[in-house]
Amino acid sequence: GLGEAKGVALKDALPGGNTLTPVTWAIDGSTGNPTSFEVGGVAGSQQLLLKGQPVSLAAGASLSVHVTAGTSSTSCTSYNNTVEATTTNDGSSTASASEEVLCAAIKVEKTADAPSVSAGSPIGFTVTVENTGAGEARGVELKDALPGGNAGHEVTWSIDETIGNFGSFEITGAAGSQQLLLKGQPVSLKAHESLTVHVTAPTSSSSCGTTYNNTAEVTTTNDGSGTASASEEVLCAA
């Protein structure tokens, strides 16, 4: 307006998030007029105010601020926020906005090609890393120490390049201590995205009499972790 606004006060109860794990709001010092505002109260019941309110605003004057809060896997909810500005000489005004934090849901699955095979037949496992949540999974890593076999007669694992997303995985290490990893990990998985790989190793008579136990673990930086196990046995002829 053309006149001075007097007795200006801001009432903005910032959304707290989940009861047990509230978010903590802070003023972004790089945007707008950060020194004209303050955040008071404890996490879960914080208020955004004009510093020193009530204040006056000259004709055509404005003040703006950007507030932000970090989130984690426990912050997944809708953040609804309504702000009201009041004056002693012009009435009031309100505005609302919402923002939703979406959760990732990471899981890993592992299946053996068969419960057992005869010596000379290949063994193999299929591994799937999946984000079943509505949010992006970040910092995703796969830790899968592939079974080595008998000492002195280790099996050698390789990626089957005919199945799944073979280009998204890699095997490192020497026979007997190989690791299956996501290529370039840590990586991100979009909502409902999955990656699958089939690993296989040839066997011989020196591989038999052994059960190949394998556990895979997937971890994230924003959703926790998951594990899966499977076994396959190489049977001897006589």
Side-chain angles (χ1 to χ4, degrees):
L2 298 177
E4 182 181 59
K6 298 179 180 180
V8 181
L10 182 69
K11 301 175 183 177
D12 189 356
L14 298 170
N18 298 316
T19 303
L20 296 179
T21 54
V23 294
T24 300
W25 293 91
I27 291 174
D28 175 2
S30 66
T31 302
N33 311 99
T35 59
S36 297
F37 296 82
E38 62 184 352
V39 173
V42 298
S45 59
Q46 291 175 289
Q47 292 269 346
L48 176 65
L49 308 170
L50 286 163
K51 187 174 289 185
Q53 66 182 45
V55 300
S56 295
L57 281 182
S62 67
L63 297 171
S64 64
V65 69
H66 177 232
V67 293
T68 183
T71 67
S72 68
S73 60
T74 61
S75 308
C76 299
T77 189
S78 291
Y79 293 80
N80 303 310
N81 188 209
T82 297
V83 59
E84 181 183 17
T86 60
T87 69
T88 57
N89 69 337
D90 181 56
S92 62
S93 177
T94 61
S96 299
S98 296
E99 191 165 8
E100 186 176 7
V101 176
L102 302 176
C103 278
I106 200 69
K107 62 183 292 189
V108 60
E109 295 179 347
K110 177 180 280 288
T111 57
D113 288 0
S116 62
V117 299
S118 298
S121 298
I123 53 176
F125 296 99
T126 297
V127 180
T128 299
V129 178
E130 183 177 11
N131 174 16
T132 62
E136 182 181 63
R138 296 174 180 166
V140 182
E141 294 190 12
L142 178 67
K143 302 172 183 177
D144 189 353
L146 298 171
N150 299 317
H153 300 284
E154 297 89 355
V155 293
T156 301
W157 294 91
S158 61
I159 292 174
D160 177 359
E161 296 189 356
T162 66
I163 295 176
N165 312 97
F166 56 86
S168 297
F169 295 81
E170 63 182 350
I171 291 176
T172 63
S177 58
Q178 292 176 288
Q179 291 269 349
L180 176 65
L181 308 171
L182 287 164
K183 187 175 289 185
Q185 65 180 43
V187 301
S188 295
L189 284 181
K190 297 177 182 177
H192 308 297
E193 183 180 6
S194 66
L195 298 172
T196 298
V197 68
H198 178 236
V199 294
T200 183
T203 68
S204 65
S205 59
S206 61
S207 310
C208 64
T210 297
T211 299
Y212 293 80
N213 302 309
N214 188 207
T215 297
E217 180 184 18
V218 63
T219 60
T220 69
T221 55
N222 70 336
D223 181 58
S225 60
T227 61
S229 298
S231 296
E232 192 165 5
E233 186 179 7
V234 177
L235 303 176
C236 290

